[in-house]
Amino acid sequence: MTIRVAIVGSGPAGFYAADALLRSEAGVRIDLIDRLPTPFGLVRSGVAPDHQKTKRITQVFLRILADPAVRFYGHVDIGADISLDELRASYDAVVLAVGAPRDRRLGIPGDDTNNVFGSGAFVGWYNGHPDFHDLDPNLDVSSTVVVGNGNVALDIARVLVKSPAEMASSDMAPAIQRRIQESPLREVHILGRRGPAQAKFSNPELAEMTQLADARTELVPPDVPDAPPDGLDARDQRRAAKNLAVFRELAGHAPPGARRCLRFRFWRKPVEVLGEETVTGLRAAETRFDADGRLVEAGRSEVIPCGLLISAIGYRAPELAGLALDPDGVRLAHEEGRVAPGLYCVGWCRRGPTGTIGTNKADGDAVARRIGAEVTASGKPGGAGLESLLTARGVRWVDAKGWDRLDAAERAAAASEEAPRRKFVRIADMLAELDLSKQTSRES
Ligand code: NAP
């Protein structure tokens, strides 16, 4: 008998789980369900708009979607349109690939001041995620602070300082590009609470900053250690050594006439967001390692003036159907990928917000192995059950053909020959394009 599996979330983790199941389970049927009408999750709305090469992985995902055993149900909200229990009753196994969409907060006084955003919201806005199209950050500012020394902070800073020519082949909405380009922004500060050797930037991404055409880069403090400190594991040691070499180069990067300045400020920990109506600055305490290697405040602080503050300090799994989170509130509570009998998790909701797109392959393989060992076909209706529930509730979903049409419309609407597409940023516009109207109470 056929094993019927629903995968909730069609980002990389969802697709790699589908791929692994197709390879390991003869006769499996897989339904990929997404809250949005569009597939690809963070590849579409998280990967930076100027990193189009990274987005080519969607070609692999499209091949998976084209498998006759796989169907796509876009614009179906588990928890709103149908409950997780109803889904579990229809499928032999349900795999949650719902990511970690909630921003971690700074947790310091003033972190809810106007024009302070988490990276999920800010990146979602400039990447055209429908949840954030009306975020409307005020870019009429001369200085921005980006908190965090990971790749997301680097993406945000890069997108804020690249020139129009450097962004021409991106898929950022033209109106948002114009707002960034026309902003009086002069300084972008990237704040790290530790030093250059401890920064989590991937080396190729950091090295990209040496190519910026319209921004000079500075380091505060300016000195770069000769070598990484002892005590890092071998992988971090290699990355740190390469990053230190790039930082040395970045210290002297000054293209003639550069409009903007990117300043890496190390050894600074955010302690207070300043501003009444809107953010005017960030108070940051200087830090150092104590004799036991713990990060401690060094006793001095400074105020970095800024009119826009973005924290890029990590994410948390969503609240879904009352499922428990682990004690640190970041991942779904699970045991080796199993949340409950027949209910599994993969990707960021399983392991936390770490790793590249390919890291999800291992999660997919692991969940396929577990499902193979634990789940047997029980005659549950699978997609037929899902469709009858949705139809009874007047819920119209977007299938793979619908996505093809949205994709074609976006490509046809590209602002220039270089730009790959102009994204739909409102769900209502996507549904109108497909001539689908939805009669559920939830807002489209
Ligand atoms: P990340 O790599 O974990 O970096 C988070 C940063 O936030 C770290 O520098 C961390 O500092 C800092 N931080 C955490 N809490 C803080 C606080 N309270 N105050 C100040 N700083 C704080 O996370 P990410 O940048 O969000 O990226 C998520 C994952 O996606 C990563 O695995 C990343 O590599 C991946 N990604 C990859 C790419 C790419 O390959 N191009 C692009 C984007 C994202 P500490 O180190 O001191 O904890």
Side-chain angles (χ1 to χ4, degrees), residues 51 104-106 119 147-153 155 191 193-194 198-200 202 205 268-270 295 312-315 348 353-356:
H51 277 179
R104 268 192 67 210
R105 293 190 55 169
L106 280 167
S119 52
V147 178
N149 267 190
N151 286 323
V152 172
D155 281 346
L191 205 76
R193 59 183 173 182
R194 298 183 287 154
Q198 290 80 24
K200 288 183 172 160
S202 299
E205 276 69 15
R268 276 145 173 94
K269 173 185 154 192
L295 191 71
I313 59 168
Y315 306 97
W348 278 11
T354 58
T356 59

Side-chain angles (χ1 to χ4, degrees), residues 130-425:
D131 285 357
F132 302 108
H133 74 81
D134 58 358
L135 191 75
D136 199 23
N138 177 12
L139 300 189
D140 191 16
V141 301
S142 58
S143 169
T144 294
V145 170
V146 184
V147 178
N149 267 190
N151 286 323
V152 172
L154 215 50
D155 281 346
I156 294 169
R158 188 182 68 252
V159 158
L160 287 175
V161 301
K162 268 193 167 179
S163 66
E166 290 174 296
M167 291 300 287
S169 58
S170 82
D171 62 4
M172 187 186 272
I176 291 179
Q177 281 210 48
R178 259 194 313 279
R179 282 183 63 183
I180 293 177
Q181 297 302 341
E182 289 170 6
S183 154
L185 187 64
R186 290 286 164 266
E187 294 187 324
V188 176
H189 306 267
I190 302 193
L191 205 76
R193 59 183 173 182
R194 298 183 287 154
Q198 290 80 24
K200 288 183 172 160
F201 308 133
S202 299
N203 187 256
E205 276 69 15
L206 186 63
E208 210 182 322
M209 305 310 241
T210 65
Q211 305 303 312
L212 290 172
D214 204 17
R216 63 179 202 283
T217 49
E218 292 177 2
L219 309 187
V220 180
D223 12 281
V224 178
D226 292 332
D230 296 335
L232 300 178
D233 70 33
R235 198 157 160 264
D236 287 347
Q237 182 86 15
R238 277 196 302 277
R239 183 190 57 198
K242 285 194 205 164
N243 279 358
L244 292 179
V246 176
F247 279 127
R248 267 176 230 116
E249 222 180 304
L250 283 170
H253 178 72
R259 266 189 325 163
R260 292 178 178 165
C261 176
L262 189 57
R263 202 162 279 139
F264 291 87
R265 300 183 95 94
F266 296 108
W267 304 111
R268 276 145 173 94
K269 173 185 154 192
V271 289
E272 184 184 5
V273 178
L274 307 174
E276 298 284 319
E277 304 268 290
T278 186
V279 55
T280 56
L282 176 71
R283 184 180 299 284
E286 286 186 29
T287 55
R288 62 176 176 79
F289 286 131
D290 71 8
D292 298 321
R294 283 179 309 226
L295 191 71
V296 294
E297 293 188 17
R300 290 176 302 275
S301 74
E302 63 172 1
V303 171
I304 309 168
C306 64
L308 171 66
L309 176 64
I310 303 150
S311 58
I313 59 168
Y315 306 97
R316 300 192 302 139
E319 279 172 2
L320 182 72
L323 293 176
L325 296 181
D326 66 1
D328 62 8
V330 170
R331 298 158 211 86
L332 293 176
H334 66 88
E335 176 266 310
E336 296 291 321
R338 194 173 83 151
V339 176
L343 183 64
Y344 301 88
C345 60
V346 290
W348 278 11
C349 69
R350 171 190 164 135
R351 61 175 200 276
T354 58
T356 59
I357 292 168
T359 312
N360 295 297
K361 271 187 190 168
D363 280 15
D365 291 341
V367 83
R369 274 197 302 276
R370 265 204 102 149
I371 288 176
E374 295 173 1
V375 175
T376 47
S378 61
K380 288 185 179 179
L386 173 66
E387 290 190 13
S388 75
L389 279 171
L390 294 177
T391 304
R393 289 165 199 182
V395 177
R396 313 266 312 264
W397 63 92
V398 176
D399 60 13
K401 284 203 175 78
W403 161 245
D404 283 348
R405 283 171 57 195
L406 292 176
D407 182 42
E410 288 190 341
R411 289 179 191 278
S416 69
E417 284 203 353
E418 276 177 281
R421 65 178 67 241
R422 184 191 296 237
K423 286 179 182 171
F424 289 101
V425 299

Side-chain angles (χ1 to χ4, degrees), residues 8 33 35 76-87 96 98 319-322 386 390 393 441-442:
V8 184
I33 302 170
R35 188 170 66 83
V76 174
D77 191 344
I78 302 305
D81 292 327
I82 82 164
S83 71
L84 183 59
D85 286 344
E86 287 171 321
L87 194 69
L96 301 173
V98 290
E319 279 172 2
L320 182 72
L386 173 66
L390 294 177
R393 289 165 199 182
S441 55
R442 110 183 132 90

